[in-house]
């Protein structure tokens, strides 16, 4: 069988490990051939692909990013998009697709699957917010990068008696902030799931200074104060309607300085969290997902997604995986609050 592979949405350490596992097992054990579509759904829409065989995947296991490229193109935002996708697949002699992506890319895969395209999904996002899987690869790498940043910021915060605010990714879910904050010993963690009271945050800051330490705040980009931030409204949006986030840490700088008189400085980690080499955990998880995805395609398990359940890789319905985001449960956040202040 000739199978198309694509990576869509924000890139993520471990994508190349998935591609490698699909191609190595698919060619070696099952005798399939592969076409690599460039830049997610854009490549399928516009018929842009590259060869994808064993030679092309040699040496890519530790490399961050994706050799296929990625984009946030949404075929359903374009007139005749779904027909163009089918046209490309037919023209290339591609009988099935393996789509590696997050909620948006897999949402498109779900719809195309319902319209008859033979598709298998692999979950990907540093945000770890996809339903139906316990973890997504890329998350562990992002958390470790953020934790290292927090570790480093502690010493400089102490030297200057400053409040340091670290903004991490996490649009709808605070998994990175919570894990990096707990692992790095942050004094306050703010996540999108729980609106924060700025007065309370300032109390934690004062308490920390009273103990002669300097506070570190870890904040998810999607966290909001009670009542919201007025300036955030006109941010540009992508093809899936998501506003570009970033800037909460700078807003907090001003609020904290104004309310406490303490010097506050922001560090926005941004895309550093998505770059570079994946951790061992992410390489192994990504490899297991790739192996399971090609087995699923070989067995004709269309409309399914690979998922980590406990310690096992299972197949779940794509529609189940994309139905609801997995957010941080309140009890988990309340546990972390023990260490605030
Ligand atoms: O979807 C994952 C994510 O990392 C979000 O946390 C973040 O808001 C977004 O990507 C940023 O994406 P982009 O690089 O397209 O601005």
């Amino acid at each position: 069988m000739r199978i198309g592979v694509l990576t869509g949405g924000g890139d993520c350490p471990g994508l190349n490990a998935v591609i490698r596992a699909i191609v190595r097992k698919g060619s070696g054990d099952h005798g399939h051939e592969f076409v690599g579509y460039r830049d997610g759904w854009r490549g399928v829409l516009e018929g842009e692909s590259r060869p994808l065989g064993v030679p092309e995947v040699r040496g890519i296991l530790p490399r961050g990013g994706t050799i296929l490229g990625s984009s946030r193109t949404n075929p359903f935002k374009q007139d005749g998009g779904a027909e163009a996708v089918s046209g490309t697949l037919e023209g290339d002699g591609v009988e099935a697709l393996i789509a590696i992506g997050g909620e948006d890319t897999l949402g498109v895969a779900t719809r195309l699957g319902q319209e008859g395209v033979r598709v298998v999904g692999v979950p990907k996002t540093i945000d770890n917010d996809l339903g139906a899987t316990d973890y997504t690869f890329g998350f562990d790498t992002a958390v470790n990068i953020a934790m290292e940043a927090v570790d480093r910021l502690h010493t400089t915060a102490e030297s200057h008696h400053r409040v340091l605010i670290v903004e991490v990714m996490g649009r709808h879910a605070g998994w990175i902030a919570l894990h990096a904050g707990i692992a790095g010993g942050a004094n306050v963690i703010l996540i999108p799931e729980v609106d924060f009271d700025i007065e309370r945050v300032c109390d934690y800051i004062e308490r920390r200074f009273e103990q002669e330490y300097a506070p570190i705040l870890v904040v998810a980009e999607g966290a909001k104060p009670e009542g919201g931030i007025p300036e955030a409204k006109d941010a540009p949006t992508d093809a899936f309607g998501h506003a570009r986030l970033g800037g909460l840490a700078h807003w907090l700088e001003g609020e904290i300085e104004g309310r406490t008189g303490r010097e506050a400085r922001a560090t926005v980690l941004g895309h550093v969290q998505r770059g570079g080499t994946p951790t061992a955990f992410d390489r192994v998880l990504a490899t297991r997902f790739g192996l399971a995805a090609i087995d699923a395609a070989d067995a004709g398990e269309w409309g399914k997604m690979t998922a980590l359940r406990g310690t096992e890789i299972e197949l779940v319905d794509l529609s189940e995986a994309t139905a609801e985001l997995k957010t941080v449960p309140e009890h988990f956040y309340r546990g972390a609050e023990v260490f605030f202040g």
Side-chain angles (χ1 to χ4, degrees):
M1 184 163 44
R2 216 165 140 73
I3 301 173
V5 181
L6 65 92
T7 53
D11 72 342
C12 173
L15 284 168
N16 286 326
V18 182
I19 298 167
R20 169 180 174 265
I22 291 170
V23 173
R24 289 284 293 274
K25 182 155 197 195
S27 316
D29 287 11
H30 300 304
H32 298 309
E33 284 177 11
F34 296 92
V35 171
Y37 284 106
R38 292 187 186 271
D39 305 336
W41 294 113
R42 189 194 69 75
V44 194
L45 267 178
E46 297 173 13
E48 219 184 288
S49 62
R50 51 162 283 173
L52 190 61
V54 173
E56 284 78 25
V57 300
R58 290 249 181 255
I60 66 172
L61 172 66
R63 270 173 59 188
T66 159
I67 59 165
L68 298 179
S70 194
S71 74
R72 294 192 186 274
T73 302
N74 181 353
F76 290 103
K77 280 280 171 190
Q78 307 191 11
D79 285 342
E83 293 72 30
V85 166
S86 302
T88 299
L89 298 182
E90 217 178 291
D92 290 345
V94 166
E95 295 161 67
L97 270 181
I98 298 181
I100 311 166
E103 51 162 326
D104 299 325
T105 304
L106 295 183
V108 171
T110 306
R111 275 183 74 179
L112 288 172
Q114 286 156 354
E115 293 180 21
V117 176
R118 307 207 292 181
V119 64
V120 168
V122 175
K124 161 258 43 152
T125 166
I126 64 163
D127 294 348
N128 196 40
D129 59 358
L130 266 181
T133 183
D134 291 351
Y135 285 99
T136 47
F137 64 86
F139 171 64
D140 186 63
T141 306
V143 167
N144 276 286
I145 292 168
M147 180 195 72
E148 194 195 330
V150 174
D151 284 350
R152 288 175 185 278
L153 290 170
H154 273 295
T155 57
T156 173
E158 303 296 351
S159 308
H160 291 270
H161 318 290
R162 283 174 177 151
V163 182
L164 291 184
I165 308 152
V166 189
E167 184 177 302
V168 298
M169 281 187 175
R171 173 179 293 282
H172 308 290
W175 293 108
I176 298 177
L178 190 66
H179 280 244
I182 292 174
N187 310 111
V188 179
I189 302 169
L190 304 178
I191 63 172
E193 292 86 341
V194 182
D195 286 359
F196 62 87
D197 171 2
I198 185 69
E199 277 302 327
R200 194 143 167 235
V201 169
C202 291
D203 288 346
Y204 287 135
I205 288 169
E206 292 295 10
R207 252 170 53 193
R208 183 72 179 172
F209 276 119
E210 280 160 21
Q211 296 153 40
E212 304 205 359
Y213 285 104
I216 307 279
L217 280 62
V218 177
V219 307
E221 61 183 349
K224 312 171 284 304
E226 288 165 356
I229 303 177
E231 293 88 336
K233 277 180 195 145
D234 302 323
T237 53
D238 65 20
F240 290 89
H242 304 307
R244 192 181 298 167
L245 298 180
L248 174 66
H250 291 290
W251 179 84
L252 281 166
E253 260 180 4
E255 288 295 313
I256 291 167
E257 289 196 350
R259 288 165 191 264
T260 66
R262 306 278 187 179
E263 187 182 359
R265 295 288 187 89
T267 301
V268 179
L269 289 186
H271 294 87
V272 168
Q273 294 159 95
R274 292 214 312 238
T277 190
T279 58
F281 179 89
D282 283 338
R283 291 181 203 191
V284 173
L285 180 59
T287 298
R288 294 180 74 198
F289 276 167
L291 296 174
I294 188 59
D295 284 347
D298 185 67
E301 296 270 12
W302 311 122
K304 300 282 184 188
M305 182 191 88
T306 61
L308 179 69
R309 297 270 173 96
T311 56
E312 296 301 316
I313 307 292
E314 296 181 5
L315 291 180
V316 297
D317 283 342
L318 259 175
S319 50
E320 182 197 335
T322 52
E324 217 180 314
L325 277 182
K326 183 183 68 195
T327 51
V328 173
E330 188 169 345
H331 65 84
F332 192 175
Y333 183 69
R334 298 295 167 212
E337 266 182 341
V338 169
F339 304 98
F340 288 7

